[in-house]
Amino acid sequence: MKKYSQFNSLLPYENQYFLYNSYQQKTIFLEEELKELLEAAIHEGIDNLKEVHPSFFDYLVESGFVVDSSFDEVQQVKDISKKIDENTDFFLLTVNPTMNCNFKCWYCYETHIKDSRLETSVLDSIQSFITKTINKENIKFFSLAFFGGEPLLYFEKNVKPLVEHLKRENDHSNKMIHVSFTTNGYLINQDFIDYFNSVDIKPHLQITLDGYKDEHDKVRFVSKKKGSYDEIVRNIIFLANNEFPVNVRINFTDENLSNSSKIVEDFKEVSEEAKEKYLKFDFHRVWQNNQIDDLDKTLHEIREQFEIWGLRTNSNNSPNNIQNSCYADKRNSATVNYNGDLFKCTARDFLTENRGGYLSEEGDLIWENDYLERRMDAKFSNKPCLSCRIMPLCNGGCSQHAMEYKEANDEYCIYQGDENEKSKIVYTKVEEIINAELQEA
Ligand code: SF4
Ligand code: SF4
């Protein structure tokens, strides 16, 4: 006995239909007649299709659109998720050298803590943690990420000692190392480039634009009279031309998205090599503005304009939350605040009362109140996701989301259970498949 996979979506597309499976991430296109045969079989029992159209049935089985009726599809996703999140080949350490910032953006100004910076004792503990971890046999890759506040504010005293320690330790452990910054990009200069060239590390940078110049400068400014768009764009280009990879995160809302198409004008002249290898634009809808609407179409058109100029884009309406789960979902990841408090993710505030634990003097991660296990167990506890057709892509978002709802004993759906919204994700995925095939052809 067979069953129609719970992860299938059968949807109209131009003059035909497609069948898409969110676990296999595969699609096939169907003419009206085949689609009707399939619909009848879904209704009457998929095994009937074997008699009516054996080759079609066999194809659906081979491709995973139809599975054994005893097969536990959800368990299969759980197993993959566990394998990915419990992988201990690597460690991802994020450090907030400060909670202070040189900008006064309305949405985070309140959380600035003037004069906050890594205490010497915490810096020493982080170094001990790096030494212990990178020398573990199972660790093949160590990533050191700087977040904040603005991590480049105290570059000399807080960032360099950690980068140099990592490099020194790695000289004899010989693992793969990676350094990255989430920065507003304002303080990037020649010294930054020269320094990293001298230590032979090319850090990755994530730099945010809050829409095009007018909107951006209203939100991200050094002072009421001085915006930051022009300097930041100049610094992004400077980095990319010096072969430093930059992910430009474009935060958008329904109000600033259409104007964001003008950003492309500022990057047209970047070298072809930099466009191809070092620059990527990641469109990200601001979560406070996530109402259901038709913004996807505008986003699609804007991404096309970027792509025409050879600028690579991505967007958060194409989730892949199991295969590509957030760093904070992984067991081997931690965020250390300037005062030694421990967190998993960087998208919540860093108040001591919300910490998951602390970094001990000896450089050990001490998770309090079973925080790490609670977090690692949080996924797959939201009932609506377990029967959802796009669960292998979405799964209710990240473990932060999952844990907050689980502990509040609440059920949720990121898309408010709206099947049309789920279908939009499916259309995005199918278009990605089509585009990839066109590029290969
Ligand atoms: S909120 Fe979720 S996606 Fe964002 S950093 Fe935290 S865990 Fe990751
Ligand atoms: S959050 Fe909603 S769309 Fe996402 S997997 Fe759960 S039920 Fe499906």
Side-chain angles (χ1 to χ4, degrees):
M1 290 266 285
K2 301 281 184 199
K3 66 181 174 190
Y4 183 67
S5 166
Q6 103 170 48
F7 301 132
N8 287 340
S9 294
L10 179 59
L11 290 166
Y13 188 83
E14 294 177 356
N15 293 328
Q16 32 177 6
Y17 295 85
F18 66 71
L19 178 63
Y20 172 80
N21 186 284
S22 65
Y23 173 75
Q24 303 290 347
Q25 305 212 15
K26 268 191 195 158
T27 191
I28 52 162
F29 286 86
L30 305 173
E31 296 299 337
E32 177 91 34
E33 202 182 315
L34 269 189
K35 173 246 171 192
E36 278 174 10
L37 272 185
L38 180 60
E39 272 181 340
I42 296 168
H43 192 65
E44 287 156 16
I46 200 75
D47 286 309
N48 292 342
L49 191 63
K50 194 173 174 55
E51 313 229 316
V52 187
H53 199 319
S55 58
F56 182 37
F57 179 82
D58 289 346
Y59 177 82
L60 293 179
V61 173
E62 271 162 33
S63 311
F65 295 104
V66 168
V67 295
D68 283 344
S69 55
S70 58
F71 186 60
D72 188 340
E73 292 188 278
V74 170
Q75 188 58 45
Q76 186 182 32
V77 180
K78 285 185 185 172
D79 292 345
I80 290 177
S81 171
K82 192 158 183 186
K83 205 167 158 209
I84 291 170
D85 292 348
E86 296 283 349
N87 185 351
T88 52
D89 282 1
F90 55 80
F91 202 97
L92 313 174
L93 180 70
T94 303
V95 176
N96 294 336
T98 177
M99 275 293 118
N100 198 4
C101 185
N102 49 340
F103 281 10
K104 297 183 176 59
C105 313
W106 61 267
Y107 54 76
C108 101
Y109 184 54
E110 296 291 310
T111 60
H112 291 183
I113 304 174
K114 246 184 134 235
D115 300 331
S116 62
R117 50 193 293 186
L118 269 185
E119 291 150 20
T120 317
S121 59
V122 178
L123 193 99
D124 291 346
S125 303
I126 298 174
Q127 292 185 334
S128 305
F129 174 78
I130 292 174
T131 303
K132 284 183 187 178
T133 309
I134 205 163
N135 287 304
K136 282 186 183 158
E137 217 173 296
N138 57 303
I139 296 290
K140 300 193 173 73
F141 172 75
F142 192 99
S143 155
L144 177 61
F146 292 95
F147 195 80
E150 170 47 48
L152 299 184
L153 269 184
Y154 306 118
F155 188 70
E156 290 292 325
K157 291 222 160 115
N158 288 165
V159 173
K160 278 188 179 178
L162 291 178
V163 171
E164 276 153 29
H165 185 81
L166 174 66
K167 182 141 169 74
R168 243 187 338 266
E169 286 301 317
N170 196 47
D171 282 345
H172 42 86
S173 66
N174 212 9
K175 310 286 173 74
M176 270 169 66
I177 57 170
H178 182 265
V179 175
S180 63
F181 292 87
T182 301
T183 162
N184 58 38
Y186 196 78
L187 296 172
I188 299 290
N189 54 23
Q190 186 68 49
D191 289 350
F192 180 90
I193 304 276
D194 291 346
Y195 172 70
F196 278 104
N197 283 337
S198 77
V199 291
D200 200 19
I201 290 175
K202 283 272 193 277
H204 283 231
L205 293 99
Q206 168 151 304
I207 299 177
T208 298
L209 295 176
D210 272 312
Y212 184 58
K213 184 175 166 59
D214 297 351
E215 291 92 1
H216 175 97
D217 283 347
K218 262 188 240 151
V219 181
R220 295 187 161 240
F221 49 82
V222 184
S223 69
K224 279 252 153 60
K225 287 198 186 119
K226 188 160 167 39
S228 60
Y229 181 88
D230 293 334
E231 284 85 352
I232 291 176
V233 167
R234 204 168 43 238
N235 288 344
I236 293 171
I237 295 172
F238 179 55
L239 285 163
N241 284 340
N242 278 284
E243 302 179 3
F244 283 57
V246 188
N247 188 41
V248 185
R249 174 165 159 155
I250 300 180
N251 281 343
F252 70 89
T253 62
D254 52 342
E255 282 181 16
N256 76 6
L257 182 61
S258 54
N259 234 1
S260 298
S261 61
K262 294 188 193 154
I263 295 172
V264 77
E265 298 293 327
D266 297 321
F267 290 92
K268 276 182 181 170
E269 306 305 330
V270 176
S271 76
E272 288 309 310
E273 194 193 0
K275 283 180 187 170
E276 203 183 309
K277 293 191 189 154
Y278 305 112
L279 258 187
K280 192 150 195 189
F281 293 83
D282 195 2
F283 286 87
H284 211 92
R285 188 160 189 172
V286 174
W287 66 268
Q288 292 95 330
N289 181 255
N290 69 348
Q291 69 269 19
I292 291 169
D293 54 28
D294 266 347
L295 222 54
D296 287 18
K297 279 192 201 130
T298 319
L299 177 60
H300 187 75
E301 285 161 20
I302 292 177
R303 284 182 64 184
E304 271 181 358
Q305 290 179 37
F306 274 70
E307 305 275 347
I308 287 169
W309 284 98
L311 296 164
R312 296 173 301 151
T313 68
N314 209 343
S315 87
N316 68 343
N317 67 352
S318 178
N320 200 4
N321 296 336
I322 297 284
Q323 297 279 355
N324 195 9
S325 59
C326 174
Y327 55 88
D329 291 349
K330 320 269 200 267
R331 177 172 292 278
N332 268 2
S333 83
T335 299
V336 187
N337 206 12
Y338 70 93
N339 57 2
D341 285 348
L342 277 186
F343 297 84
K344 284 293 272 181
C345 89
T346 49
R348 293 294 184 272
D349 58 43
F350 292 105
L351 297 174
T352 294
E353 60 258 39
N354 296 335
R355 74 182 190 182
Y358 62 94
L359 181 68
S360 75
E361 219 180 301
E362 299 74 30
D364 294 313
L365 306 179
I366 312 292
W367 296 105
E368 298 164 311
N369 305 319
D370 222 15
Y371 182 87
L372 182 60
E373 298 312 320
R374 271 166 42 221
R375 186 150 185 145
M376 296 309 295
D377 280 347
K379 285 186 178 179
F380 302 99
S381 44
N382 183 39
K383 252 202 194 146
C385 300
L386 300 180
S387 56
C388 175
R389 65 187 155 109
I390 62 164
M391 187 262 253
L393 303 173
C394 169
N395 195 31
C398 58
S399 56
Q400 179 70 31
H401 248 90
M403 190 168 82
E404 285 167 0
Y405 279 95
K406 184 179 178 190
E407 299 195 344
N409 234 335
D410 216 355
E411 290 183 358
Y412 70 103
C413 171
I414 293 179
Y415 304 104
Q416 286 106 49
D418 185 327
E419 292 301 319
N420 289 331
E421 288 300 304
K422 295 182 192 178
S423 294
K424 281 187 194 168
I425 307 277
V426 172
Y427 278 110
T428 306
K429 293 288 177 187
V430 169
E431 267 160 18
E432 283 173 4
I433 294 174
I434 297 171
N435 288 340
E437 279 173 3
L438 283 176
Q439 268 169 13
E440 264 174 35

